Amino acid sequence: MLFQLSEEQLMIQQAARDFAQHELKPGVIERDEHQKFPAEQVKKLGELGFLGMMVSEKFGGSGLDAVSYVLVMEELSKVDASASVVVSVNNSLVCYGLEAYGSEFQKEKYLKPLASGQQIGAFCLSEPEAGSDATSQQTTAEDKGDYYLLNGTKNWITNGSNASTYLVIAQTHPDLKHKGINAFIVEKGMEGFTIGPKENKMGIRGSDTHSLMFNDVKVPKENRIGEDGFGFKFAMKTLEGGRIGIAAQALGIAAGAYELALAYAKQRKSFGKPIAEHQVIAFKLADMATSIEAARMLVYKAAWLKDQGLPYTLAGSMAKLYASKVAMDVTVEAVQVHGGYGFVKEYHVERLMRDAKITQIYEGTSEIQQMVISREILR
């Protein structure tokens, strides 16, 4: 197997690393403290082509591969997971779904501004009574001939207030269950569409997470994605790629915490020598480095399979399951290596630990990934 990144991939990785250090790191603690959305930084990410990385240039994207995408996600997440989740959602869920399954009209009108970074999007699946169970959609879309009448509530929506375009999953034919679900493109400002208060979260506090309410929202027929009843399949196919992005985010959070812990352990002295030279700390660092490298191989493999057009459901779920566990374990140990300093904000690791937990929850909990993995290996 060849593990060497191409020259172009290395350049993209370096560009993302530079952006994270020079654009995201200044102010990241303040944004976390005040739950401030990184609007200025997201705009610059769009200008760099990071919001539509895998979209073809025809539709305003960068035309890059999935491996380049996870490299960017990893570097950004080392510093600011609130910014990287915007990149993840816009790339993996919104742009991918529109390019893969949208009509030419939808690509021209919606995909181009999303892929070029002029706008950002949101993916609206979770509900108060339907989180991981995507088949139990309570949001309804009644077919009225020329339009659909959308009613319901969506929960935990990333980019909830800053998005311009929303991909909304809703039930049209309840008697058909999951085969009666559709996916729709909803624009901010449509009559009857309101955005609820921002959630006060433990982690990724700069990311704007909201509930969305739809009250008799008229959605034009041409805004339905795919054939009637395609919505459930659309959501599942889109989420497969989303897991790779979140796995890369988890990898980045872990790697960022490890790099901070390693640097601190080299300069912090105890009993006359750097604490990194004490076996108890050195062994922690060794375990952290090993688990991160293992997670990295899983994430890169899943992205590589996607680039090759090969099945990646199993690899993506394995990457997401393992990398999110590594993110949680490594960030906890990074705080421990820092001792009392790890408990205060200025050293960053406590924030990374709080951010790590969400990677075990969104895009399907760890238990959901275990279900997917077991289903695939038992076939």
Side-chain angles (χ1 to χ4, degrees), residues 20-292:
Q21 292 298 321
H22 301 304
E23 298 287 346
L24 292 180
K25 193 170 184 178
V28 66
I29 294 175
E30 180 186 0
R31 291 195 299 275
D32 174 80
E33 181 81 15
H34 300 288
Q35 301 190 79
K36 183 180 178 182
F37 183 78
E40 180 182 343
Q41 291 78 12
V42 168
K43 181 181 178 182
K44 291 179 180 179
L45 285 166
E47 292 169 354
L48 286 171
F50 288 165
L51 293 182
M53 292 189 67
M54 296 172 287
V55 176
S56 66
E57 294 179 7
K58 174 184 176 183
F59 296 111
S62 301
L64 297 170
D65 58 2
V67 171
S68 295
Y69 165 59
V70 299
L71 292 172
V72 169
M73 281 295 299
E74 180 181 353
E75 293 301 326
L76 299 180
S77 302
K78 287 179 181 180
V79 175
D80 188 356
S82 293
S84 72
V85 75
V86 178
V87 176
S88 175
V89 168
N90 212 67
N91 275 285
S92 295
L93 301 182
V94 181
C95 286
Y96 169 79
L98 285 173
E99 185 171 32
Y101 304 107
S103 66
E104 289 302 308
F105 162 78
Q106 292 167 353
K107 293 175 185 178
E108 286 290 332
K109 183 175 181 180
Y110 298 107
L111 180 57
K112 279 189 173 181
L114 289 164
S116 62
Q118 299 172 43
Q119 298 179 1
I120 60 173
F123 186 80
C124 310
L125 176 65
S126 294
E127 297 182 355
E129 301 299 326
S132 298
D133 182 10
T135 63
S136 301
Q137 295 294 299
Q138 298 300 308
T139 298
T140 59
E142 187 179 355
D143 191 340
K144 292 292 186 178
D146 292 336
Y147 63 90
Y148 286 89
L149 203 60
L150 191 65
N151 283 281
T153 300
K154 294 294 181 179
N155 271 19
W156 317 116
I157 306 304
T158 300
N159 301 339
S161 65
N162 281 279
S164 299
T165 302
Y166 300 77
L167 306 189
V168 182
I169 312 300
Q171 179 62 264
T172 301
H173 311 287
D175 53 317
L176 298 179
K177 298 181 179 179
H178 73 281
K179 293 183 178 180
I181 293 173
N182 279 307
F184 302 94
I185 303 170
V186 177
E187 299 176 26
K188 179 183 280 186
M190 283 184 169
E191 186 176 353
F193 174 27
T194 56
I195 299 168
K198 186 175 184 176
E199 301 289 352
N200 188 0
K201 307 186 299 295
M202 175 177 76
I204 58 168
R205 288 170 58 80
S207 169
D208 61 324
T209 307
H210 294 257
S211 292
L212 309 178
M213 283 71 74
F214 305 94
N215 183 21
D216 285 343
V217 178
K218 291 184 178 180
V219 182
K221 210 60 170 286
E222 61 264 28
N223 281 30
R224 187 189 71 203
I225 301 173
E227 297 297 320
D228 190 18
F230 180 68
F232 178 76
K233 186 176 181 180
F234 171 82
M236 295 301 101
K237 289 291 185 182
T238 302
L239 287 172
E240 282 185 3
R243 292 183 189 120
I244 297 175
I246 296 308
Q249 183 187 48
L251 169 63
I253 292 171
Y258 164 73
E259 289 175 7
L260 290 170
L262 179 62
Y264 180 82
K266 286 180 176 181
Q267 62 89 19
R268 174 69 170 175
K269 290 187 176 180
S270 175
F271 300 102
K273 60 182 178 180
I275 63 172
E277 295 181 18
H278 292 289
Q279 197 173 75
V280 65
I281 300 297
F283 281 11
K284 282 184 185 292
L285 294 169
D287 287 344
M288 292 161 75
T290 302
S291 61
I292 289 168

